[in-house]
Amino acid sequence: MMKLRKIGVLAFHGDVIEHIEATKQAAKNLHLNIKVIPVRTKESLHNLDALIIPGGESTTLHKLCEREDMWEDMKRIRNIFGTCAGAIMLAKMIHHKTPDQKTLERMDIEIDRNAYGRQTESFDKDVKTSLGNIHTVFIRAPRIKKVGKDVKILAKNEGETIACEQKIDNHYYLAACFHPELTSTIFHEYFLKKIYRI
Ligand code: GLN
């Protein structure tokens, strides 16, 4: 029997339902049979092909993942897609973090929290990406300040990287500063294609 394909969405807060729906729709578009589960415990991280970390608040995500003792197991997951706060969670270096804030330190990116300003300075706009056009929504988003040489840029806004990917050995990471789950499935489809090599 074929192994069940399983994707987890970190489900403490943020756009959890939207990511679950976007992933299911993306799988449908690609004719893939996958199970998408909410992840709130260490146990539910087991046997996942991939994890999606939604936007929300990176300091809260960090605290809750620590409380559940999920940190080390999360680091071992082969494929991770992080949006907004999720992208912060993937970065090796963050500016304006709280004193005890940690990230998973997976991608060679330098990211600045809340760098577009306050919540009221959130914005949306159409952007051309190498995956196609997408209406992007930035909600108190971080700015990617620098990317390492092995990071591939997938989208830019006014000269700044807003989506990128990195492959490290047999691990794959995808990060976006905006919220693709709110407007499109192109990023989720791209992520599934990378995971299942289709
Ligand atoms: N400002 C949030 C943080 O620092 C990110 C915002 C978001 O995910 N929409 O974690």
Side-chain angles (χ1 to χ4, degrees):
M1 212 173 75
M2 213 174 79
K3 190 179 156 271
L4 180 68
R5 292 167 160 153
K6 204 158 79 171
I7 310 253
V9 175
L10 191 65
F12 291 129
H13 76 164
D15 274 355
V16 176
I17 293 167
E18 290 81 355
H19 268 296
I20 291 178
E21 290 309 316
T23 310
K24 284 184 180 167
Q25 187 57 49
K28 207 168 169 189
N29 296 348
L30 296 171
H31 308 289
L32 266 178
N33 189 14
I34 58 166
K35 197 170 162 106
V36 187
I37 62 153
V39 170
R40 291 187 195 91
T41 60
K42 191 170 159 165
E43 290 66 42
S44 48
L45 284 171
H46 297 157
N47 301 318
L48 290 181
D49 296 327
L51 179 70
I52 296 177
I53 308 180
E57 176 50 55
S58 55
T59 51
T60 306
L61 290 176
H62 162 230
K63 280 185 197 145
L64 294 172
C65 291
E66 285 244 308
R67 187 190 72 186
E68 295 303 319
D69 190 25
M70 291 161 78
W71 211 244
E72 291 311 314
D73 291 53
M74 275 170 83
K75 286 187 179 183
R76 278 193 282 272
I77 293 191
R78 297 244 321 237
N79 304 286
I80 306 183
F81 176 20
T83 59
C84 208
I88 297 173
M89 291 278 280
L90 285 172
K92 282 200 180 154
M93 212 223 223
I94 25 172
H95 298 275
H96 296 112
K97 58 179 182 170
T98 58
D100 59 346
Q101 184 175 3
K102 277 201 298 189
T103 70
L104 294 167
E105 297 180 17
R106 302 289 88 193
M107 293 181 78
D108 293 315
I109 59 178
E110 219 175 276
I111 205 161
D112 193 4
R113 284 184 66 223
N114 306 331
Y116 288 96
R118 301 164 68 93
Q119 191 82 319
T120 48
E121 282 150 301
S122 297
F123 61 97
D124 59 312
K125 70 187 282 189
D126 292 327
V127 170
K128 250 191 212 148
T129 80
S130 47
L131 316 183
N133 297 342
I134 181 167
H135 190 67
T136 54
V137 182
F138 289 78
I139 307 171
R140 208 173 182 220
R143 272 189 144 113
I144 295 175
K145 292 288 189 194
K146 232 190 220 171
V147 301
K149 63 173 179 18
D150 298 326
V151 175
K152 191 176 153 204
I153 296 167
L154 299 172
K156 282 190 171 192
N157 174 42
E158 292 172 4
E160 286 182 338
T161 302
I162 55 167
C164 56
E165 63 185 348
Q166 186 171 12
K167 219 173 165 292
I168 306 169
D169 303 323
N170 53 7
H171 288 247
Y172 173 74
Y173 305 108
L174 175 63
C177 294
F178 52 94
H179 288 264
E181 73 286 357
L182 292 179
T183 57
S184 162
T185 56
I186 60 171
F187 273 79
H188 296 76
E189 282 175 39
Y190 185 72
F191 186 51
L192 292 179
K193 283 185 192 163
K194 289 281 176 179
I195 302 166
Y196 298 114
R197 299 193 171 82
I198 52 169

